[in-house]
Amino acid sequence: MILTSARYRRVQTVGLVAVAIWCFCVRRVSAFTPPHRGDCRFFLDTADTSEWDALLPLGLFHGVTTNPTLLERAGQPCTVDNVRRLAGAALSRTEEFMCQTWGSTAEEMYDHGMALSKADRERIVIKVPVTARGAEAATLLADAGVRICMTACYDSKQALIAASLGVEYLAPYLGRMTDNGKDGLQECIRMQSIVDGLGSDTRILVASLRDADTLADLAAEGLDTYTFSPAVARELFAEPLTDAAAAEFEEAAARGSNWE
């Protein structure tokens, strides 16, 4: 059968739409966001892939965060090729992957950031320190369409930098601020107030969290984005009363199954 040009275009359009829908569905199979999660985003803060295997199936995490220090702790090379490999593994199971650029100049940081994010600019977020050189690199990267997280934030006034640059995330180190004599909790709460007051959409991605109770305190104050270690992730589930109740349910179910 010979198709007219108009009919051919309609068939071609339908085919392209079907392919687009299929690709979207395939992509979503491995990275599903619960519909009632709201605005909160939890990230697993480790480059240890064995911890990814253990904890990502729990369904809590929006993504994974890494940096050169975490790579070193996990015995992972800090190279573009290896970080790309890790990104592919993480994005097969989560929505986002954050990795940190490096370099002695803004241009080097830009080049590494472009290379790291090349595989998936929609889901790879590049972390850049909140320094003057970092701000210059972040501006170049953002102009090229790269998603940015300003990191190593130690003071609430640095929220002004992130908001003015218009980056997506700012990562304050709560625990380390407290270690250095600051009130890390209040600094993070003030950062949230600053970006809200400026009408900025920058998310305060609280890092260096030492315990699950601090995470709950932040949530009660309206902060909704965190990255935390595998130890803190496990602490969220550490409640003996819940464990006892779950065991009691299982025992009752076992007894009831013998009635038939």
Side-chain angles (χ1 to χ4, degrees), residues 57-158:
L58 296 176
L60 271 66
F61 295 100
H62 179 77
V64 169
T65 57
T66 65
N67 61 41
T69 301
L70 292 176
L71 291 171
E72 185 176 42
R73 288 178 186 168
Q76 295 280 359
C78 186
T79 64
V80 169
D81 286 345
N82 187 56
V83 175
R84 281 177 173 173
R85 181 186 64 80
L86 292 172
L91 291 176
S92 70
R93 293 187 272 183
T94 63
E95 292 283 352
E96 291 183 18
F97 178 77
M98 293 196 192
C99 53
Q100 189 161 328
T101 188
W102 62 89
S104 59
T105 66
E107 289 74 19
E108 286 183 1
M109 295 174 77
Y110 167 79
D111 289 341
H112 282 128
M114 291 295 290
L116 291 167
S117 62
K118 183 178 180 180
D120 193 337
R121 294 253 158 84
E122 291 185 6
R123 299 199 292 160
I124 295 175
V125 180
I126 299 300
K127 298 168 74 176
V128 185
V130 193
T131 62
R133 184 169 68 237
E136 184 179 350
T139 299
L140 295 171
L141 289 165
D143 285 346
V146 177
R147 298 173 65 190
I148 304 295
C149 172
M150 301 302 288
T151 191
C153 176
Y154 279 84
D155 194 283
S156 56
K157 67 177 180 289
Q158 292 173 311

Side-chain angles (χ1 to χ4, degrees), residues 177-231:
M177 283 190 281
T178 301
D179 292 343
N180 284 277
K182 297 189 175 188
D183 187 334
L185 182 70
Q186 289 304 315
E187 287 287 332
C188 292
I189 292 171
R190 189 170 185 232
M191 289 178 204
Q192 186 67 59
S193 297
I194 289 170
V195 297
D196 289 345
L198 294 175
S200 169
D201 292 328
T202 297
R203 282 179 176 267
I204 303 302
L205 170 64
V206 184
S208 187
L209 286 159
R210 306 284 173 74
D211 58 74
D213 286 339
T214 301
L215 197 158
D217 290 338
L218 289 164
E221 294 291 340
L223 285 86
D224 58 21
T225 308
Y226 322 95
T227 184
F228 46 88
S229 68

